Amino acid sequence: MSNTPRFQQIKTYIQKKIDAKEWPVGSRIPTEAELCELFSVSRMTVNKAVRDLVNQGRLERTPRLGTFVCQSKAESPLMDIRNIADEIQERGHKHHSEVVLQKQIIAPDDVSMRLGMMLGSEVFKTEIVHYEDDNAIQVEVRWVNPDCARQYLEQDFNHITPHQYLMEACPLSTIEHTVEAILPPDNIARLLNITPKTPCLLLHRRTWSGQQLISSALLYHPGDRYKLSARMNVLD
């Protein structure tokens, strides 16, 4: 007999059904009473298994209708900066990217100010769509100070990410994050394969190496596929 707690066995059973697409997104799972009968356990045990999966974003409870499989959301840490390719691979999925733009431009005034550069300065700009399996989960629009990363435009960003290159060329020491909920511009909606009425999370990111501002980026995420999280220790 398995030593795994019964609630964990129920969670595993439900997760396997979801992962195998036997219970696709939007489908209703068996009721708690049916799961109690199937596993010969108490309602409390089933409730804990289901509640854990709701908290993990795998299931969603709808009053008077039942519990449904929901779209699993990718997740990134808000208080840290990590390579999106590594995050996706650690979730057991495949990352690939599509470069939309990679060129040197005259920085718009707002970009010059965000990078602490003189108005009219030249900067490197990239626009890249990041995919988790076949789903677009992030559009990365980034401006880079050429004095800090002179070979930025020479990189093949279909095979490495800007994060990987910048961490090697000018190791990051400080990050600044601001998050807002938006309706995406039409061009971003097309790249994410969503409608302009689909809510998005927009992460504004600036990075420093030592005292030097390196890059400013806008990271667009479809709100129904992505979430940002933070965890910190609070000392008394």
Side-chain angles (χ1 to χ4, degrees):
M1 181 178 295
S2 173
N3 292 324
T4 305
R6 296 291 278 167
F7 85 89
Q8 185 61 53
Q9 293 178 34
I10 298 168
K11 280 182 62 177
T12 300
Y13 169 79
I14 295 173
Q15 288 173 315
K16 285 183 176 179
K17 292 287 188 181
I18 295 172
D19 292 341
K21 302 295 191 296
E22 293 183 42
W23 295 348
V25 172
S27 62
R28 186 173 64 180
I29 72 168
T31 65
E32 290 191 2
E34 290 170 333
L35 289 170
C36 287
E37 182 176 352
L38 179 63
F39 286 91
S40 300
V41 296
S42 69
R43 187 72 170 263
M44 183 181 299
T45 301
V46 169
N47 184 266
K48 175 171 174 53
V50 173
R51 186 173 67 248
D52 283 0
L53 290 171
V54 169
N55 292 337
Q56 292 170 15
R58 303 302 302 274
L59 299 175
E60 181 178 20
R61 282 186 167 125
T62 302
R64 296 184 297 278
L65 293 179
T67 302
F68 296 82
V69 178
C70 58
Q71 177 71 50
S72 180
K73 292 187 178 184
E75 181 175 359
S76 290
L78 183 58
M79 304 297 289
D80 197 3
I81 180 170
R82 298 191 60 211
N83 183 12
I84 189 170
D86 293 340
E87 292 180 8
I88 291 171
Q89 290 165 6
E90 288 172 8
R91 291 194 289 266
H93 298 279
K94 293 182 179 179
H95 167 268
H96 71 276
S97 58
E98 176 184 331
V99 177
V100 179
L101 178 72
Q102 187 168 344
K103 65 186 295 186
Q104 183 167 313
I105 65 167
I106 301 298
D109 290 353
D110 62 325
V111 172
S112 295
M113 289 186 287
R114 286 204 299 269
L115 285 174
M117 302 174 68
M118 293 182 61
L119 298 181
S121 297
E122 293 188 337
V123 297
F124 297 151
K125 182 180 180 181
T126 50
E127 293 183 15
I128 300 171
V129 186
H130 296 280
Y131 292 84
E132 183 163 349
D133 295 331
D134 295 323
N135 295 315
I137 61 166
Q138 182 189 94
V139 174
E140 172 189 340
V141 182
R142 185 184 295 270
W143 298 269
V144 175
N145 185 335
D147 291 337
C148 303
R150 294 187 180 277
Q151 297 180 326
Y152 184 77
L153 293 183
E154 300 173 20
Q155 307 308 306
D156 183 355
F157 290 126
N158 288 303
H159 292 91
I160 68 168
T161 64
H163 172 84
Q164 286 175 275
Y165 169 72
L166 291 174
M167 284 297 291
E168 294 174 1
C170 40
L172 307 182
S173 60
T174 305
I175 62 171
E176 174 188 272
H177 280 165
T178 304
V179 182
E180 62 178 322
I182 66 162
L183 293 178
D186 289 347
N187 65 314
I188 298 298
R190 285 194 298 272
L191 293 174
L192 288 173
N193 195 27
I194 58 177
T195 72
K197 294 184 179 181
T198 302
C200 282
L201 292 174
L202 172 57
L203 175 64
H204 300 256
R205 172 181 290 166
R206 291 199 298 171
T207 56
W208 284 258
S209 183
Q211 300 299 312
Q212 180 66 59
L213 257 168
I214 302 299
S215 75
S216 175
L218 300 178
L219 308 176
Y220 297 87
H221 310 89
D224 60 346
R225 301 179 210 153
Y226 213 86
K227 60 183 176 180
L228 298 164
S229 64
R231 180 176 180 177
M232 65 184 72
N233 293 322
V234 179
L235 301 178
D236 295 333

